[in-house]
Amino acid sequence: MTKRKLKRKPKKLLICIIIIILLLLVTFLVYHFCFNKEKVKAAKVVSKIPEYGYTLKSNKSASYKKLFKQLKEVLSAEKVDEKEYVKTITKMFIIDFYSLNDHSAKTDIGGVDFVSEEALDNFLVNAEDTLYKYVESNIYKQRKQKLPEVSEVTINKVETTEYAYGDKNDENAYQVEAKWTYVDPKISNEYQDEATLIFVHNDKKLVLVELSELAE
């Protein structure tokens, strides 16, 4: 009597099960990365000073927005007080640049609205390689990293000076000495809290061309 071999179960069933598992896995991944994340809200322009090219975006801090309002008042005067102008943009730059907690990634550099176009590329590279180097992404508002946030800026000195840059020379440039504090004093010792800034004229607009720590 010949033995008959038992027939193997069709492989089709196994293949169907594998396909179903793969489809479920793909569905889960798509849902997790595309739909289960908070939508990133694009920042909108909420105010402008068109004559000077300044814009205020909705994602700026409350203190920055308050200073932008002050800047608008200073620049809308019949005769602009340049010392008040440079004091205000110094505070705005410091708050925006050194408040790392307000920025979503290491490439989201603050203060760029006030930097000279000629110096901007170097400014961005230096910022990414130094102050912003270890800033973790916060696109989905899930960052747990402790980062500094500027609380108050004090202007210690404003004086006019002659400043040469490139093929230009500004005989009435502004040198500003400023000091600031951070919201969390525990991390304030780890970050710069004073600087000398130099602003030059670009037509009627003042732009930042140099940023350095105060000499002791």
Side-chain angles (χ1 to χ4, degrees), residues 9-162:
K9 290 183 180 180
K11 292 183 178 179
K12 288 183 178 180
L13 181 61
L14 182 60
I15 293 170
C16 288
I17 292 172
I18 291 172
I19 290 172
I20 291 170
I21 291 171
L22 288 173
L23 286 172
L24 288 172
L25 182 60
V26 170
T27 303
F28 171 78
L29 291 173
V30 170
Y31 175 79
H32 180 74
F33 288 104
C34 298
F35 299 101
N36 199 33
K37 294 281 187 180
E38 292 181 20
K39 289 184 178 179
V40 180
K41 294 182 180 179
K44 297 179 180 179
V45 174
V46 294
S47 187
K48 294 180 180 180
I49 309 175
E51 299 85 358
Y52 288 80
Y54 295 122
T55 58
L56 175 64
K57 292 186 177 179
S58 57
N59 60 347
K60 295 299 183 184
S61 66
S63 55
Y64 187 93
K65 289 176 180 176
K66 184 178 179 181
L67 285 167
F68 190 92
K69 186 178 178 181
Q70 291 179 20
L71 178 63
K72 207 168 187 177
E73 292 174 358
V74 170
L75 296 180
S76 63
E78 189 173 338
K79 185 177 180 181
V80 174
D81 184 336
E82 280 202 337
K83 281 200 172 182
E84 284 305 311
Y85 175 18
V86 79
K87 284 180 184 179
T88 306
I89 60 175
T90 295
K91 291 179 180 180
M92 292 173 74
F93 171 81
I94 289 170
I95 287 173
D96 199 26
F97 183 63
Y98 290 99
S99 293
L100 301 183
N101 196 49
D102 293 343
H103 299 280
S104 60
K106 64 174 290 184
T107 54
D108 180 20
I109 310 298
V112 295
D113 291 346
F114 308 101
V115 179
S116 164
E117 287 185 10
E118 289 89 344
L120 186 57
D121 286 344
N122 285 336
F123 173 78
L124 292 173
V125 170
N126 289 336
E128 284 186 40
D129 288 345
T130 54
L131 185 63
Y132 283 72
K133 187 173 183 178
Y134 300 106
V135 174
E136 296 173 3
S137 175
N138 194 34
I139 294 174
Y140 297 110
K141 308 299 180 185
Q142 295 176 339
R143 182 171 62 201
K144 295 181 180 179
Q145 183 184 22
K146 289 185 178 180
L147 292 169
E149 183 180 348
V150 175
S151 60
E152 187 176 358
V153 182
T154 302
I155 306 299
N156 293 327
K157 186 188 293 185
V158 178
E159 57 187 9
T160 55
T161 184
E162 184 173 354

